[in-house]
Amino acid sequence: MGIFSGANHAITAATLLLALSAAAADGNELARAREAAALGSEDRALDIAMQGLKRTPADRELFLYAVELLPEKPSARAAALAALARAGAEKEKDDYAWYLGLCKTTRVAGRAAQAVANCRKAMELEPVAYPPYRELGLTYAASGDLARAAETLGQGVEISSSSFQAHYQLARTLESAGNAAGARRSYNTARRLAGAARDMDAKYYRALIAAG
């Protein structure tokens, strides 16, 4: 990332660093992680989330954010999230969050069939939540099935049409599939929605869209 430049961005970065310090004092790892991502460091954001999960492994929202940020490759952090997901699924069998974690971590481990099964389980438990569509679509994309990936991510857009993240993920897949016109439309929608929002996630996605 590292996309910020100019005086205005320097001021913004300084302001965010002050907020990051304040959030650290409050022990709010989710806020700290989001602020770190907005500053351009996904890796630091994930580290903050993982540190928080060591202290509070049942923090569902922090877990979901860590799953979203987890890179697409095996790692110690992926193994730690997989263990948390298994434990969570055993205790809370009706919560889609833990199956979503299993979907992502089995995908990055190269077990596509298990990943699809876990994503579908998450979708059955919460059919109107966007994250299962995101992870299922990205699982199809990782397996090379870009047509099914775009279809699934398009369904995610239908149920979460105001989500800049949903439009961004669809745009990336359409671009990979060679659908330049469709990708451009989705990128433009993601840019418009993220531009109208004022939270840290919107800043993060505005940077992703600008970089992409």
Side-chain angles (χ1 to χ4, degrees), residues 1-206:
M1 303 254 315
I3 303 163
F4 300 104
S5 62
N8 289 339
H9 285 169
I11 293 170
T12 301
T15 302
L16 285 172
L17 283 171
L18 287 174
L20 192 61
S21 298
D26 291 341
N28 189 338
E29 283 85 3
L30 183 56
R32 290 174 59 211
R34 284 190 163 125
E35 286 156 3
L39 282 169
S41 180
E42 294 171 330
D43 194 62
R44 174 168 168 74
L46 182 55
D47 276 343
I48 291 169
M50 297 303 297
Q51 290 165 12
L53 287 169
K54 285 182 181 178
R55 287 189 289 274
T56 54
D59 187 330
R60 182 179 184 277
E61 294 306 311
L62 191 59
F63 174 79
L64 285 170
Y65 192 65
V67 167
E68 180 183 344
L69 289 179
L70 184 68
E72 297 284 334
K73 59 183 179 181
S75 65
R77 294 181 296 194
L81 282 177
L84 288 175
R86 287 192 296 269
E90 287 178 5
K91 293 178 182 177
E92 300 176 275
K93 297 183 185 300
D94 294 331
D95 190 340
Y96 86 90
W98 312 114
Y99 295 97
L100 191 76
L102 289 171
C103 173
K104 178 72 174 276
T105 55
T106 51
R107 180 173 83 237
V108 303
R111 301 196 299 274
Q114 283 182 262
V116 169
N118 282 307
C119 264
R120 290 198 175 281
K121 177 65 175 178
M123 198 176 291
E124 288 172 11
L125 291 171
E126 192 55 77
V128 295
Y130 169 66
Y133 291 86
R134 179 192 73 213
E135 295 303 333
L136 181 57
L138 294 178
T139 298
Y140 287 137
S143 300
D145 192 344
L146 294 178
R148 187 174 288 184
E151 179 184 7
T152 303
L153 291 168
Q155 291 169 349
V157 165
E158 289 177 6
I159 67 167
S160 193
S161 59
S162 63
S163 167
F164 42 81
Q165 180 191 131
H167 289 279
Y168 171 76
Q169 295 292 358
L170 176 59
R172 289 183 63 208
T173 300
L174 291 172
E175 185 176 18
S176 296
N179 185 345
R184 188 176 301 111
R185 285 193 297 272
S186 291
Y187 275 129
N188 286 338
T189 302
R191 183 180 296 110
R192 175 177 56 79
L193 291 170
R198 292 294 176 265
D199 55 65
M200 290 296 170
D201 285 345
K203 177 175 281 294
Y204 170 57
Y205 275 92
R206 285 197 296 270

